[in-house]
Amino acid sequence: MRILIYDDVEKLGKAASILFAAKIIEKPDCVLGMATGSSPLPVYRSLVELYEQGIIDFDRVRSFNLDEYVGISRSNEQSYYRFMYDNLFSKVNIRPENVHVPNPASDDWVGDCAAYDEAISEAGGIDLQILGIGENGHIGFNEPCRFFPFGTHIEELTQSTINANKRFFEKEEDVPKTAMTMGIGPIMKAKAVVLIATGGAKAKAVKSMLLDPVDPMCPASVLQLHPAATVFLDEAAALLLNKG
Ligand code: F6R
């Protein structure tokens, strides 16, 4: 696992975006695993800049998002589908047919979860996956649990996640309580993984991810076993790494 610490979030975003740009240059039809939330935003900003400068081309890029809230329409400002269009997809030339975000309007969850995993496999798996980390150590919406869930599934969000995400909603009652999320399987099968953590609120989870034994109670700790994981931290998120 490579761990890189930056003193500035925009710099960190640029550095991580270089890995994505290199992947797109090396493999124009690469499969990117996408995340939402605040952590990947500096990376997406930098990718948009590289696209506008004519350095990278998304024409053949394919993407799979990690997760989506259940019971939220795609036009809702808080849907992850909308987030991806607002922050990246509408600003680059990715083709809509190459974009995959779990579908929150489904009435066949079991079938849809299996179909999502099948689509990832058919695409050849994920070449490069971006991840954030929850304050409770979740990746995607794989919440702390007694085991690592393998495939795409429906997850009940913990109070910690609801608390963290309520900043995006008018009131706490509006925060969806369940989400559809990629499991740990496709994340671990991704050929490379980039995890971004910024801010002091993530320091405890980062310490547990990197320094504690692998444990599904800190789902991100599984990345210790990934052969090509790079963790980008700012100084606040890295604060507890030197303290026993
Ligand atoms: C979002 C996702 C989540 C977030 C995590 C951190 O698609 O999968 O795991 O990455 O909750 O969220 P932020 O970046 O908003 O702190």
Side-chain angles (χ1 to χ4, degrees):
M1 223 177 192
R2 266 184 308 254
I3 301 164
L4 301 169
I5 302 172
Y6 287 84
D7 61 2
D8 173 85
V9 169
E10 286 307 307
K11 239 191 261 175
L12 177 160
K14 263 203 179 101
S17 78
I18 291 170
L19 296 185
F20 282 82
K23 181 51 67 190
I24 294 169
I25 290 166
E26 176 202 336
K27 185 177 177 192
D29 64 344
C30 62
V31 178
L32 299 181
M34 301 303 201
T36 58
S38 346
S39 307
L41 283 176
V43 183
Y44 296 161
R45 278 196 287 276
S46 175
L47 285 174
V48 170
E49 263 174 47
L50 292 168
Y51 166 73
E52 285 170 348
Q53 292 160 358
I55 293 169
I56 50 172
D57 181 4
F58 284 79
D59 186 49
R60 294 171 60 206
V61 168
R62 295 164 291 161
S63 76
F64 286 87
N65 260 81
L66 281 169
D67 40 25
E68 178 61 283
Y69 290 123
V70 168
I72 208 165
S73 84
R74 289 193 153 179
S75 57
N76 186 307
E77 271 187 16
Q78 300 310 333
S79 81
Y80 286 172
Y81 181 84
R82 178 79 185 270
F83 175 100
M84 288 310 299
Y85 270 90
D86 289 351
N87 292 292
L88 183 66
F89 296 156
S90 66
K91 300 180 177 181
V92 298
N93 64 334
I94 196 163
R95 292 172 185 258
E97 64 271 27
N98 287 342
V99 160
H100 305 85
V101 181
N103 180 4
S106 172
D107 52 12
D108 173 19
W109 293 114
V110 176
D112 286 348
C113 289
Y116 203 68
D117 286 334
E118 187 64 28
I120 295 171
S121 296
E122 268 172 23
I126 291 166
D127 290 303
L128 183 54
Q129 173 70 54
I130 189 165
L131 296 168
I133 181 172
E135 289 172 29
N136 61 5
H138 72 212
I139 46 175
F141 273 135
N142 295 284
E143 299 282 40
C145 177
R146 282 175 292 109
F147 59 93
F148 290 111
F150 188 84
T152 298
H153 60 284
I154 300 298
E155 183 91 28
E156 209 165 297
L157 303 183
T158 59
Q159 193 56 44
S160 153
T161 299
I162 292 168
N163 288 345
N165 289 1
K166 71 183 178 204
R167 69 192 193 276
F168 299 115
F169 292 83
E170 251 176 52
K171 35 189 192 336
E172 181 173 330
E173 302 86 87
D174 296 341
V175 187
K177 308 291 179 286
T178 43
M180 179 171 165
T181 182
M182 216 186 261
I184 298 295
I187 296 174
M188 287 302 283
K189 283 204 256 173
K191 293 171 193 80
V193 171
V194 160
L195 183 139
I196 314 269
T198 55
K202 300 291 173 70
K204 244 177 100 191
V206 165
K207 179 177 182 234
S208 170
M209 160 176 71
L210 298 174
L211 301 183
D212 289 346
V214 173
D215 180 345
M217 288 308 288
C218 176
S221 65
V222 76
L223 297 175
Q224 292 177 28
L225 306 175
H226 195 287
T230 308
V231 177
F232 289 83
L233 305 173
D234 71 355
E235 287 169 348
L239 197 67
L240 300 178
L241 292 185
N242 293 325
K243 299 181 183 159

